[in-house]
Amino acid sequence: MKKFGLIGVAGFVAPKHLEAISRTGSHLLAAMDRSDSVGILDRFFPQAGFFTDIDRFDSYLEQLRREKSGIDYLSVCTPNHLHDEHVRLGLKHNADVICEKPLVLDPGGIEPLVELEKETGRRIFNLLQLRLHPDIIRLQEKQKGLDRNSKAEVELVYITPRGRWYHNSWKGDEQRSGGIATNIGIHFFDMLLWIFGPVQHIAVHHYDKERAAGYLELQKARVRWFLSINEADLPADRVGKSHSFRQISVEGETVEFSTGFTDLHIKAYEAILAGKGFGLEEAFPSIELVHNIRTQKPSGLKNDFHPMAAFLKQ
């Protein structure tokens, strides 16, 4: 039975981690969050230690380590700009780390973590759970088996509505979240790179706090993409009925993968505990890509823009 700590337990994604820890037969020893709205612990690990102060949490983990009952893994579910700090906390306590995306906001932050892995002998795993989605696996396997003379024509749409609260939280602050391409889109950019290979060219057509659109030329595909957190962008038949709309079209063949997400964190934890998780090398390409999207000046609608971008104010 593996022993866990978890930091960011009051956050949106923490219940998925708690369920994954529980479902893999592991045990949560300690959790930390600045907020004390953590009744979710009663559902999974009511006996876990809980702290609202990072120093007390740190001291408790150190005490467990001295008593030879320390954690094996630290799960990091905190705001994006804190991931690097909290990954280092896990390594300090001789634990492997399971961290939500993005692992870091600046791709330059990966190399120091590579060195820390070497120094400590511990591993840092990033949750790239779309690689475990059955529909995406089938798509990846199909593309891998094709002998193409030209690049595939691909369109990606991801619309996941968020309320007014979003802009007043850390998620709406680009300095803390990395903005929409990083906080919302990194899952899908990682998926594209996994299926179609490395980036050869980037164009950003539109970028603001609620929407982003652009074009990617990858090794095996030409991709037009559109991201939005505005409910008005949902298809008419989805407004008020569906929380998110996820769709990828490859050479005119459309795959909608708005379902099948409920157990991906469990699958990710199972893989990590079996020594098959995604590490720093796999995490780097999408971090570099979203950083370049975020820092590139939008060109406006020129060539190869996504059809949904045609309605946006430039």
Side-chain angles (χ1 to χ4, degrees):
M1 181 182 68
K2 296 299 182 180
K3 296 169 290 184
F4 276 79
L6 191 152
I7 185 166
V9 70
F12 171 79
V13 76
K16 293 182 179 181
H17 288 258
L18 292 170
E19 182 178 21
I21 293 169
S22 176
R23 290 278 293 275
T24 54
S26 303
H27 186 62
L28 183 70
L29 299 184
M32 185 270 161
D33 203 293
R34 291 191 305 174
S35 169
D36 59 8
S37 297
V38 293
I40 187 69
L41 284 171
D42 287 342
R43 179 178 164 192
F44 294 104
F45 300 103
Q47 301 307 315
F50 172 67
F51 304 88
T52 58
D53 181 88
I54 188 68
D55 291 330
R56 290 189 60 205
F57 178 68
D58 186 10
S59 296
Y60 184 68
L61 294 183
E62 179 61 29
Q63 177 186 334
L64 292 176
R65 189 159 69 99
R66 287 199 306 269
E67 294 172 354
K68 309 299 183 185
S69 57
I71 59 172
D72 301 299
Y73 292 88
L74 179 69
S75 296
V76 177
C77 309
T78 48
N80 298 346
H81 68 297
L82 298 175
H83 286 176
D84 182 85
E85 173 187 341
H86 295 150
V87 164
R88 291 167 182 269
L89 177 66
L91 298 179
K92 169 187 170 184
H93 289 287
N94 200 35
D96 291 336
V97 179
I98 301 173
C99 185
E100 273 293 337
K101 293 177 296 300
L103 191 58
V104 292
L105 293 180
D106 187 326
I110 291 289
E111 187 56 35
L113 295 180
V114 171
E115 293 304 314
L116 276 175
E117 278 192 331
K118 293 176 182 177
E119 291 173 15
T120 62
R122 311 311 303 181
R123 290 292 311 279
I124 302 166
F125 298 99
N126 206 198
L127 283 174
L128 307 177
Q129 68 266 34
L130 277 188
R131 299 189 186 197
L132 304 175
H133 191 292
D135 292 338
I136 302 306
I137 291 173
R138 282 191 286 271
L139 179 60
Q140 195 263 358
E141 290 176 345
K142 180 178 179 179
Q143 295 303 310
K144 187 168 57 175
L146 293 177
D147 184 17
R148 290 188 183 277
N149 294 320
S150 60
K151 297 185 180 187
E153 296 293 331
V154 177
E155 290 187 1
L156 173 74
V157 178
Y158 179 41
I159 304 167
T160 180
R162 297 291 187 265
R164 293 172 62 183
W165 66 269
Y166 184 93
H167 299 295
N168 291 322
S169 74
W170 66 266
K171 296 173 186 284
D173 180 350
E174 187 167 301
Q175 296 302 310
R176 292 188 285 172
S177 72
I180 186 170
T182 301
N183 192 52
I184 297 295
I186 193 167
H187 308 69
F188 300 95
F189 291 119
D190 174 73
M191 174 192 75
L192 290 169
L193 297 175
W194 183 56
I195 296 173
F196 298 110
V199 176
Q200 295 179 339
H201 176 70
I202 301 171
V204 179
H205 298 134
H206 180 90
Y207 194 97
D208 63 32
K209 290 186 176 183
E210 293 195 343
R211 300 177 176 96
Y215 167 78
L216 294 174
E217 187 154 340
L218 306 180
Q219 185 180 49
K220 300 178 182 178
R222 291 161 36 88
V223 183
R224 299 163 184 84
W225 56 269
F226 179 84
L227 305 174
S228 173
I229 59 169
N230 192 312
E231 186 180 29
D233 296 323
L234 284 171
D237 63 344
R238 296 302 182 92
V239 176
K241 298 179 182 178
S242 176
H243 183 66
S244 295
F245 179 73
R246 308 171 179 93
Q247 182 174 283
I248 185 170
S249 173
V250 182
E251 292 291 312
E253 182 179 344
T254 298
V255 177
E256 186 188 333
F257 50 103
S258 294
T259 59
F261 285 78
T262 54
D263 63 348
L264 293 186
H265 276 72
I266 297 169
K267 290 181 179 180
Y269 269 68
E270 289 172 343
I272 290 168
L273 295 182
K276 301 176 182 178
F278 302 115
L280 298 176
E281 184 177 355
E282 290 91 349
F284 178 80
S286 58
I287 291 171
E288 182 179 49
L289 173 55
V290 295
H291 177 267
N292 290 338
I293 289 172
R294 181 170 73 246
T295 55
Q296 185 175 124
K297 184 178 179 181
S299 63
L301 302 186
K302 293 185 177 179
N303 300 321
D304 296 312
F305 61 86
H306 193 283
M308 293 191 70
F311 303 98
L312 300 179
K313 270 187 181 179
Q314 300 304 312

